[in-house]
Amino acid sequence: MLVLGFETSCDETGVALCTTGGQVLAQALHSQISMHKDYGGVVPELASRDHIRRLVPLMNQVLADSGKSLTDVDAIAVTTGPGLPGALMAGTAFATSLAMGLGKPVIPVHHLEGHLLSPLLSATPPAFPFTALLVSGGHSQLMGVENLGHYALLGETLDDAAGEAFDKTAKMIGLPYPGGPALSKLAEQGNANRFKLPRPMLHSGDYNFSFSGLKTAVLTTAMKLAGVAQPTETMVLNDQDKADLCASFQAAIVEVLVKKSIAATRANGHKRLVVAGGVGANKQLRHSLTEAAAQRGIEVYFPELALCTDNGAMIAFAAAMRLKANPALLSQLDYSMQTKPRCAIPGLQGS
Ligand code: KG4
Ligand code: ZN
């Protein structure tokens, strides 16, 4: 069976066609980064309007690349939450209307479940069960994943998400949006030992995170370096100070993510640790986690780099897995179009 999936929860429009055997036949993506860059972050109204412009051309591209037509599609999948309300609405309204026109079912997909299952799309996918570290712009969670739809929340961030901490810290020192990739690139030229930044909640004895204190510590350090008594919107630092601060910040955040993920994997009695979400693209995190896991006999899995950040393939794939597990979804023709900007993953215990 063929599932055509749509992702529009934030600033990427993604479309993909996936089989219930787990093969992505074609995918297309449009990133809005250049459109939001001048504003230093995502402008929700611009995001929604751009999704509307991109959906049809991207869908046509996917159909052409796969050699399929809409009549070959068995189900339509769409991200219905969490995300920006208008952006979710753009994708959900389009996908639902399309499904209604075709007389096919709509399978709503939780954005984080898409991320969570995306490592299964790699050439060497992890087997269930595994522990998952989900680190994106909006979420930082550790989860026990027993099987499709059987997830246990072990811990999560009490304030900023890891990606959000990267983005806010980057903005503070004048790096362009999105901050994560820019900050980690600059960190490659910096000295990670120069500034002693806190490792928040490292010894809290649980699997929760907190990153806002780390951000404040960067601000205080940046103010000292810039010689200012009051924070300004962007701290003006010289290139070496900036690179050293980026490297020190990245080292702090990565150390916390690595230690807590390894501890959670061991406490679960799992042999596999899976990383998902945009921050999973971070080179230092990949390197440190791979090293720490190997020392403890844990196998670590990352999604392909292109599938770390938002994309349509993970949404089509998550729906394809649900459809394979439950073919009765084919006859559930519900076109009520419910977006949920804030919601827990279906099947999540402990949230
Ligand atoms: O998963 P994602 O595309 O969107 C959400 O669902 O939030 O994640 C985007 C987040 C942004 O905060 C971005 O700065 C961060 O992932 N990110 C990175 C890197 N690439 C993307 N953070 C650190 N290092 C990276 N290389
Ligand atoms: Zn995402």
Side-chain angles (χ1 to χ4, degrees):
M1 284 182 284
L2 282 182
V3 178
L4 182 62
F6 298 94
E7 155 64 34
T8 66
S9 68
C10 189
D11 57 349
E12 258 106 19
T13 320
V15 183
L17 191 61
C18 184
T19 68
T20 39
Q23 196 193 354
V24 178
L25 300 185
Q27 57 173 314
L29 187 74
H30 175 78
S31 166
Q32 301 177 350
I33 286 178
S34 58
M35 189 179 76
H36 297 296
K37 221 174 188 127
D38 290 347
Y39 305 93
V42 179
V43 183
E45 183 59 24
L46 293 182
S48 314
R49 286 166 190 257
D50 200 58
H51 288 309
I52 293 167
R53 272 195 295 272
R54 307 286 171 184
L55 279 161
V56 172
L58 290 174
M59 178 183 76
N60 287 340
Q61 187 185 327
V62 165
L63 291 171
D65 289 352
S66 61
K68 302 286 179 189
S69 70
L70 279 175
T71 48
D72 297 321
V73 172
D74 297 287
I76 303 292
V78 64
T79 306
T80 50
L84 299 171
L88 290 169
M89 190 54 89
T92 304
F94 175 76
T96 308
S97 319
L98 179 67
M100 201 186 237
L102 295 171
K104 304 288 178 185
V106 183
I107 303 180
V109 177
H110 191 284
H111 182 76
L112 296 185
E113 188 174 32
H115 276 303
L116 191 65
L117 300 175
S118 62
L120 300 181
L121 279 169
S122 59
T124 50
F128 293 113
F130 53 77
T131 296
L133 171 68
L134 213 160
V135 269
S136 69
H139 294 81
S140 297
Q141 297 181 332
L142 273 164
M143 267 184 256
V145 178
E146 289 308 313
N147 213 325
L148 177 69
H150 292 89
Y151 314 125
L153 184 65
L154 308 170
E156 61 187 334
T157 183
L158 304 180
D159 40 56
D160 290 347
E164 193 179 1
F166 267 98
D167 293 342
K168 287 180 176 171
T169 303
K171 194 171 182 183
M172 204 189 286
I173 56 172
L175 298 181
Y177 156 86
L183 190 154
S184 65
K185 192 152 187 283
L186 195 53
E188 286 173 17
Q189 294 151 35
N191 172 6
N193 297 316
R194 175 160 167 212
F195 301 109
K196 301 277 166 273
L197 297 174
R199 269 63 174 157
M201 296 187 72
L202 188 57
H203 303 292
S204 61
D206 57 21
Y207 303 111
N208 290 327
F209 304 102
S210 164
F211 297 119
S212 74
L214 178 56
K215 189 187 59 192
T216 309
V218 172
L219 178 65
T220 316
T221 310
M223 281 165 61
K224 269 191 215 141
L225 291 168
V228 295
Q230 294 298 323
T232 50
E233 199 179 332
T234 301
M235 300 294 159
V236 182
L237 306 181
N238 71 45
D239 289 349
Q240 195 56 53
D241 285 350
K242 222 187 247 192
D244 291 346
L245 197 50
C246 287
S248 303
F249 166 82
Q250 181 173 260
I253 203 161
V254 165
E255 184 179 338
V256 177
L257 292 174
V258 168
K259 291 199 167 147
K260 293 230 170 189
S261 307
I262 298 285
T265 309
R266 297 181 79 190
N268 272 338
H270 288 160
K271 288 265 172 266
R272 288 171 288 272
L273 170 62
V274 165
V275 181
V279 183
N282 185 273
K283 270 194 207 159
Q284 186 60 46
L285 177 66
R286 285 177 168 243
H287 174 75
S288 302
L289 207 48
T290 304
E291 208 170 66
Q295 283 168 10
R296 288 165 184 86
I298 295 169
E299 288 172 24
V300 60
Y301 296 82
F302 298 94
E304 284 172 33
L305 270 184
L307 295 182
C308 281
T309 43
D310 294 348
N311 62 86
M314 67 182 193
I315 302 305
F317 177 68
M321 284 191 77
R322 287 207 170 253
L323 181 57
K324 188 178 171 194
N326 180 15
L329 288 176
L330 275 186
S331 52
Q332 293 176 14
L333 303 182
D334 174 2
Y335 302 123
S336 56
M337 225 179 68
Q338 291 175 22
T339 52
K340 295 178 184 159
R342 295 172 69 88
C343 56
I345 297 185
L348 184 70
Q349 309 291 313
S351 58

